[in-house]
Amino acid sequence: MEQLPFQQLVKEKFPFLSAGQKKVANYLIENLNQAAFKTAFQIGRQAAVSETTVIRLSYALGFESFSEMQAIIQEELLQQSQPGYRNVSLKEYRSSDSFKRVILNEIQLLKQLINQTNVQEIWKAVDAIIKADQVLIAGHMLSHAAAYWFSYMLGSIRDHVTLCSPTGEFFEKFCNLTENSVVVVFSFPRYSNDTIKLAECVAKHGICLITVTDRLLSPVGRISDIVLTTEENAQTGSNSIASVISLVDLIIEGIHEKDQERIQIHQQKLEKLYSSFDVFNE
């Protein structure tokens, strides 16, 4: 017997569900794209029910497990996003389940970057960085990887870009900033106390603070002038470095669009230095 589309299946079974299961069903239907990549615990938290209730819903809908229900939802979303995608059996789908779920989850996280609020904040960040006389960038522990990437990319298109070492130096470098400077901080769970302290220092001195973080009300996000967010990776409970780097690339692209003349001058200087000192093996 052919499997009903998930939303149609929920509609048919809905009258027979318990009150808690109906809450989960409503949440799934209204947030299918996001819920497809969350754990049973995360879905339960969002629907204000227990993890057990989420799992029981999968049984009530005729699935053998929560994982099977989630795989069906993900398969349907994949087919909807790719009209030419061939009809893949559940068995085939599961054979590459781990890798495919990671990829699908990354795609979903990347799509969420282009919401209206994020786009507005990205342009604010672009304008602030273009106008800044200096840009100081910081991030501790895992967040330092994204901070390094951003400082390298930004340093290739403008001058006076400084990266703080994850082991210190912030206050020494902060001393050189002016009221026209910008500080960009990367802060993802588990939030580093060092990052929070330096963000508090920036806010206290009235210098523009841009934060790249996982949520608007993260410890650093709450005190920032501009907050750019990427969501948590639902499969691992960690943050996706792909979505963070993509967000950084959007900022760089925005600066390219608005500050082409200055970028061209800066890059011509760089190319001369690269050639003079044989920096690259080309």
Side-chain angles (χ1 to χ4, degrees):
M1 185 176 177
E2 188 176 346
Q3 172 73 44
L4 283 174
F6 181 75
Q7 295 191 43
Q8 184 62 35
L9 178 63
V10 170
K11 182 180 178 182
E12 290 194 6
K13 299 281 189 179
F14 194 83
F16 310 103
L17 302 178
S18 69
Q21 290 167 0
K22 286 180 179 178
K23 283 185 179 181
V24 180
N26 276 320
Y27 172 78
L28 289 176
I29 295 302
E30 291 174 7
N31 303 275
L32 202 60
N33 287 348
Q34 293 80 20
F37 306 100
K38 292 184 182 291
T39 63
F41 173 79
Q42 289 171 324
I43 292 171
R45 184 171 58 184
Q46 293 294 318
V49 300
S50 67
E51 179 181 7
T52 304
T53 301
V54 179
I55 295 169
R56 285 176 178 166
L57 172 67
S58 65
Y59 298 147
L61 294 178
F63 298 104
E64 294 182 0
S65 65
F66 169 79
S67 296
E68 182 182 10
M69 179 179 76
Q70 193 172 52
I72 287 292
I73 295 171
Q74 291 172 350
E75 183 177 1
E76 288 184 12
L77 289 176
L78 183 63
Q79 290 176 356
Q80 289 168 15
S81 65
Q82 301 180 34
Y85 190 82
R86 70 183 181 87
N87 208 12
V88 182
S89 71
L90 184 58
K91 183 177 180 181
E92 288 178 298
Y93 186 86
R94 282 176 171 173
S95 67
S96 59
D97 190 58
S98 296
F99 296 150
K100 192 169 289 184
R101 285 190 183 190
V102 169
I103 293 170
L104 289 172
N105 190 63
E106 294 290 352
I107 291 170
Q108 188 59 35
L109 290 172
L110 292 173
K111 284 180 179 178
Q112 290 167 4
L113 291 180
I114 308 300
N115 62 59
Q116 193 58 36
T117 302
N118 237 18
V119 168
Q120 290 172 353
E121 292 296 292
I122 290 168
W123 283 119
K124 287 181 186 177
V126 166
D127 290 337
I129 291 169
I130 289 174
K131 293 174 185 175
D133 60 352
Q134 301 177 67
V135 181
L136 181 60
I137 301 168
H140 293 87
M141 305 179 84
L142 288 175
S143 298
H144 184 70
Y148 174 81
W149 176 268
F150 184 51
S151 88
Y152 181 85
M153 295 299 292
L154 189 61
S156 70
I157 61 174
R158 64 153 290 162
D159 53 11
H160 302 303
V161 175
T162 307
L163 174 67
C164 288
S165 163
T167 57
E169 303 179 324
F170 169 76
F171 294 104
E172 291 79 2
K173 292 177 179 178
F174 180 78
C175 257
N176 299 321
L177 301 185
T178 72
E179 61 182 12
N180 298 316
S181 300
V182 165
V183 177
V184 182
V185 166
F186 290 78
S187 180
F188 291 93
R190 302 167 68 184
Y191 305 111
S192 165
N193 284 326
D194 288 335
T195 305
I196 297 170
K197 287 174 186 175
L198 68 84
E200 289 172 345
C201 174
V202 175
K204 182 178 179 181
H205 285 81
I207 292 176
C208 179
L209 176 60
I210 300 172
T211 294
V212 182
T213 186
D214 64 315
R215 56 193 176 91
L216 183 64
L217 296 179
S218 69
V220 175
R222 284 176 238 161
I223 60 174
S224 299
D225 300 292
I226 300 170
V227 184
L228 307 177
T229 60
T230 68
E231 290 198 8
E232 183 184 80
N233 184 319
Q235 291 301 312
T236 64
S238 63
N239 282 90
S240 160
I241 190 64
S243 66
V244 178
I245 297 302
S246 294
L247 181 52
V248 163
D249 284 345
L250 294 178
I251 299 170
I252 297 296
E253 180 61 29
I255 296 172
H256 267 285
E257 185 174 319
K258 287 195 168 188
D259 204 21
Q260 292 180 16
E261 187 176 342
R262 188 165 64 163
I263 289 172
Q264 188 175 12
I265 293 169
H266 182 78
Q267 289 188 325
Q268 285 172 351
K269 290 179 182 177
L270 264 183
E271 287 302 325
K272 286 181 181 178
L273 288 170
Y274 290 157
S275 298
S276 298
F277 291 92
D278 198 23
V279 173
F280 296 110
N281 187 347
E282 296 178 323

